[in-house]
Amino acid sequence: MLLKGKLKLPEKALKAFPDLGSMVKGGVDVDGYKEGSESAAFELGEELETFQPNALGSETRESDIEILDEESDAKIRPKTDVKDGSAPIPKHGIDVDEKRSDLEYELSQKEINLEKLQKIASTGIPDGGSLRATTWKLLLGYLPDSRDLWEKVLSENRLKYAKLKEELLLTPSEFSRRKEEAWGSVEHADCETAGPLHRHDISNEDHPLSLGEASAWHKFFECTEIAEQIDRDLQRTHPEMKFFSESSSLGKKNKEAMRNILLLFAKLNPTTRYVQGMNEVLAPIYYVFSVDTDEQNAANSEADSFCCFVRLLSDSVDHFCQKLDNSSVGIHATLSRLKEMLKVNEEELWRHLEFTSKVNPQFYAFRWITLLLTQEFEFKKVLRIWDSLLSSSSGVQDMLRRVCCAMLLCVKSRLLSGDFAGNLSLLQHYPEVNIEHLLQVARDLSPDPDPPSIRISL
């Protein structure tokens, strides 16, 4: 398992959003993340503790996502014979209606049984209604187990998010204008009997040309480059889907909400900031919450997505830290554990990739792991994979490594007969595969040992 992620919050953010502060954990401040390590624009606060998500549900609108044929010729071996790559596709005894009924029952209970919910979600959640959105919020820890507290928790967090946006995302001039309006309304009431208005001087901190680090304008311009990078990445986020396409008013609205989330995350985490690819991790969360058939929940999808995005990303933030790449919690350690898992379960394939074709996991699995497989499969299949990733009792990262290992086993015969160029191309452009088949193999894999070289001491 990875050590807990390190996400910095400024003091004022903790005051405005104390529930995020409940995830704090002491740690070492690390500079030099992937996208640069400019000086922090905000005062640093305490570090967020890693949250270990437990499950996802499943809820998408078929009008926005094309239902795909998941049949594939890929061969995968059963657990009972790890050297055989031709196991039959597993059959699932629970039909969609029964699964939907089971989920609705669990979600209707006064006290949610997370273990049962996790078990159901791991098999995939039927589309429609609020099933996936509610399940994700529950098993990411955003919603409490007690249904009686849901309304209170949601309203509080949504209000706190709105306050954070007002404080951190408004331009200084807009913020000053609103402050002046507030002052003006008070003065107007006082001056009905007290004489002329008072004049407010513009401080150095409020002047657009101020170079002081405490200047609101200095902080605003410092984040301009990050905002531009976010905008470029959002243009490439599933442009084929109407939901994300900027050619429609709906797509523009959704892109603006995602921009707010990513920019706010960058400002609240001045050490990590924004790293290219975070947009891809956010997309499934924001989509699922936005298509919730509960109108109030859908209307607040931006705030809910932000909270769950922070929780999900805290589990893998070390993968975005360049200075931690070679540490026991960095991306190289995770890739090494993937190789160990492959060696334990399929030594022949491991030897071929390691010594014959010499295809380093960094050439293909780096993207698999950091982006949680969002770039390797079509969007609907990604949602189904996330059901299993986040419902894993051993955590997201363990299940993620299992799925990555299973992906190698799915194309075992092609890899064994391929050379460096052929194998690299195959793994960087992964072929279609039956997702249920893939996930079953992932579940059946033997766990990877914790190699001494990357063992984590707590």
Side-chain angles (χ1 to χ4, degrees), residues 6-17:
K6 304 171 182 62
L7 302 180
K8 294 282 191 177
L9 284 177
E11 297 290 346
K12 57 187 178 183
L14 288 173
K15 292 178 182 178
F17 222 140

PDB file of all heavy atoms in Angstrom, residues 6-17:
ATOM      1  N   LYS A   6      -0.008  13.693   0.472  1.00  0.00           N
ATOM      2  CA  LYS A   6       0.289  14.938   1.150  1.00  0.00           C
ATOM      3  C   LYS A   6      -0.326  16.071   0.359  1.00  0.00           C
ATOM      4  O   LYS A   6       0.196  16.462  -0.660  1.00  0.00           O
ATOM      5  CB  LYS A   6       1.804  15.097   1.277  1.00  0.00           C
ATOM      6  CG  LYS A   6       2.442  13.909   1.987  1.00  0.00           C
ATOM      7  CD  LYS A   6       3.936  13.988   1.904  1.00  0.00           C
ATOM      8  CE  LYS A   6       4.577  12.779   2.562  1.00  0.00           C
ATOM      9  NZ  LYS A   6       4.206  11.552   1.887  1.00  0.00           N
ATOM     10  N   LEU A   7      -1.452  16.590   0.819  1.00  0.00           N
ATOM     11  CA  LEU A   7      -2.125  17.678   0.137  1.00  0.00           C
ATOM     12  C   LEU A   7      -2.224  18.856   1.094  1.00  0.00           C
ATOM     13  O   LEU A   7      -2.845  18.756   2.142  1.00  0.00           O
ATOM     14  CB  LEU A   7      -3.535  17.262  -0.313  1.00  0.00           C
ATOM     15  CG  LEU A   7      -3.575  16.062  -1.227  1.00  0.00           C
ATOM     16  CD1 LEU A   7      -5.019  15.767  -1.594  1.00  0.00           C
ATOM     17  CD2 LEU A   7      -2.761  16.308  -2.476  1.00  0.00           C
ATOM     18  N   LYS A   8      -1.600  19.975   0.752  1.00  0.00           N
ATOM     19  CA  LYS A   8      -1.524  21.113   1.655  1.00  0.00           C
ATOM     20  C   LYS A   8      -2.770  21.982   1.580  1.00  0.00           C
ATOM     21  O   LYS A   8      -3.305  22.236   0.529  1.00  0.00           O
ATOM     22  CB  LYS A   8      -0.307  21.967   1.283  1.00  0.00           C
ATOM     23  CG  LYS A   8       1.028  21.253   1.514  1.00  0.00           C
ATOM     24  CD  LYS A   8       1.379  21.273   2.970  1.00  0.00           C
ATOM     25  CE  LYS A   8       2.813  20.812   3.171  1.00  0.00           C
ATOM     26  NZ  LYS A   8       3.220  20.873   4.564  1.00  0.00           N
ATOM     27  N   LEU A   9      -3.194  22.484   2.735  1.00  0.00           N
ATOM     28  CA  LEU A   9      -4.281  23.439   2.802  1.00  0.00           C
ATOM     29  C   LEU A   9      -3.831  24.676   3.565  1.00  0.00           C
ATOM     30  O   LEU A   9      -3.199  24.547   4.621  1.00  0.00           O
ATOM     31  CB  LEU A   9      -5.493  22.842   3.525  1.00  0.00           C
ATOM     32  CG  LEU A   9      -6.328  21.839   2.736  1.00  0.00           C
ATOM     33  CD1 LEU A   9      -7.434  21.317   3.628  1.00  0.00           C
ATOM     34  CD2 LEU A   9      -6.890  22.466   1.496  1.00  0.00           C
ATOM     35  N   PRO A  10      -4.168  25.873   3.082  1.00  0.00           N
ATOM     36  CA  PRO A  10      -3.859  27.067   3.849  1.00  0.00           C
ATOM     37  C   PRO A  10      -4.772  27.186   5.052  1.00  0.00           C
ATOM     38  O   PRO A  10      -5.862  26.622   5.080  1.00  0.00           O
ATOM     39  CB  PRO A  10      -4.090  28.207   2.839  1.00  0.00           C
ATOM     40  CG  PRO A  10      -5.025  27.639   1.856  1.00  0.00           C
ATOM     41  CD  PRO A  10      -4.734  26.164   1.784  1.00  0.00           C
ATOM     42  N   GLU A  11      -4.358  27.981   6.038  1.00  0.00           N
ATOM     43  CA  GLU A  11      -5.127  28.126   7.263  1.00  0.00           C
ATOM     44  C   GLU A  11      -6.529  28.632   6.982  1.00  0.00           C
ATOM     45  O   GLU A  11      -7.513  28.156   7.533  1.00  0.00           O
ATOM     46  CB  GLU A  11      -4.403  29.105   8.203  1.00  0.00           C
ATOM     47  CG  GLU A  11      -3.027  28.623   8.649  1.00  0.00           C
ATOM     48  CD  GLU A  11      -3.135  27.435   9.598  1.00  0.00           C
ATOM     49  OE1 GLU A  11      -4.232  27.187  10.097  1.00  0.00           O
ATOM     50  OE2 GLU A  11      -2.111  26.778   9.824  1.00  0.00           O
ATOM     51  N   LYS A  12      -6.643  29.628   6.078  1.00  0.00           N
ATOM     52  CA  LYS A  12      -7.968  30.202   5.820  1.00  0.00           C
ATOM     53  C   LYS A  12      -8.890  29.205   5.139  1.00  0.00           C
ATOM     54  O   LYS A  12     -10.101  29.241   5.335  1.00  0.00           O
ATOM     55  CB  LYS A  12      -7.851  31.462   4.969  1.00  0.00           C
ATOM     56  CG  LYS A  12      -7.139  31.265   3.629  1.00  0.00           C
ATOM     57  CD  LYS A  12      -6.945  32.611   2.979  1.00  0.00           C
ATOM     58  CE  LYS A  12      -6.205  32.484   1.655  1.00  0.00           C
ATOM     59  NZ  LYS A  12      -5.958  33.797   1.049  1.00  0.00           N
ATOM     60  N   ALA A  13      -8.311  28.280   4.375  1.00  0.00           N
ATOM     61  CA  ALA A  13      -9.147  27.257   3.755  1.00  0.00           C
ATOM     62  C   ALA A  13      -9.647  26.284   4.794  1.00  0.00           C
ATOM     63  O   ALA A  13     -10.776  25.801   4.729  1.00  0.00           O
ATOM     64  CB  ALA A  13      -8.364  26.523   2.687  1.00  0.00           C
ATOM     65  N   LEU A  14      -8.796  25.974   5.775  1.00  0.00           N
ATOM     66  CA  LEU A  14      -9.220  25.061   6.843  1.00  0.00           C
ATOM     67  C   LEU A  14     -10.353  25.673   7.659  1.00  0.00           C
ATOM     68  O   LEU A  14     -11.266  24.982   8.107  1.00  0.00           O
ATOM     69  CB  LEU A  14      -8.031  24.726   7.747  1.00  0.00           C
ATOM     70  CG  LEU A  14      -6.974  23.803   7.122  1.00  0.00           C
ATOM     71  CD1 LEU A  14      -5.776  23.686   8.049  1.00  0.00           C
ATOM     72  CD2 LEU A  14      -7.549  22.437   6.854  1.00  0.00           C
ATOM     73  N   LYS A  15     -10.277  27.003   7.839  1.00  0.00           N
ATOM     74  CA  LYS A  15     -11.355  27.662   8.590  1.00  0.00           C
ATOM     75  C   LYS A  15     -12.656  27.624   7.808  1.00  0.00           C
ATOM     76  O   LYS A  15     -13.728  27.460   8.358  1.00  0.00           O
ATOM     77  CB  LYS A  15     -10.957  29.107   8.872  1.00  0.00           C
ATOM     78  CG  LYS A  15      -9.781  29.221   9.845  1.00  0.00           C
ATOM     79  CD  LYS A  15      -9.401  30.683  10.058  1.00  0.00           C
ATOM     80  CE  LYS A  15      -8.194  30.798  10.987  1.00  0.00           C
ATOM     81  NZ  LYS A  15      -7.781  32.217  11.160  1.00  0.00           N
ATOM     82  N   ALA A  16     -12.562  27.810   6.500  1.00  0.00           N
ATOM     83  CA  ALA A  16     -13.764  27.826   5.667  1.00  0.00           C
ATOM     84  C   ALA A  16     -14.284  26.441   5.375  1.00  0.00           C
ATOM     85  O   ALA A  16     -15.457  26.235   5.135  1.00  0.00           O
ATOM     86  CB  ALA A  16     -13.478  28.546   4.346  1.00  0.00           C
ATOM     87  N   PHE A  17     -13.380  25.454   5.420  1.00  0.00           N
ATOM     88  CA  PHE A  17     -13.730  24.088   5.018  1.00  0.00           C
ATOM     89  C   PHE A  17     -13.159  23.105   6.025  1.00  0.00           C
ATOM     90  O   PHE A  17     -12.310  22.291   5.704  1.00  0.00           O
ATOM     91  CB  PHE A  17     -13.130  23.799   3.642  1.00  0.00           C
ATOM     92  CG  PHE A  17     -14.072  23.056   2.742  1.00  0.00           C
ATOM     93  CD1 PHE A  17     -14.143  23.384   1.387  1.00  0.00           C
ATOM     94  CD2 PHE A  17     -14.897  22.054   3.225  1.00  0.00           C
ATOM     95  CE1 PHE A  17     -14.995  22.697   0.547  1.00  0.00           C
ATOM     96  CE2 PHE A  17     -15.733  21.369   2.387  1.00  0.00           C
ATOM     97  CZ  PHE A  17     -15.797  21.692   1.049  1.00  0.00           C
TER      98      PHE A  17
END
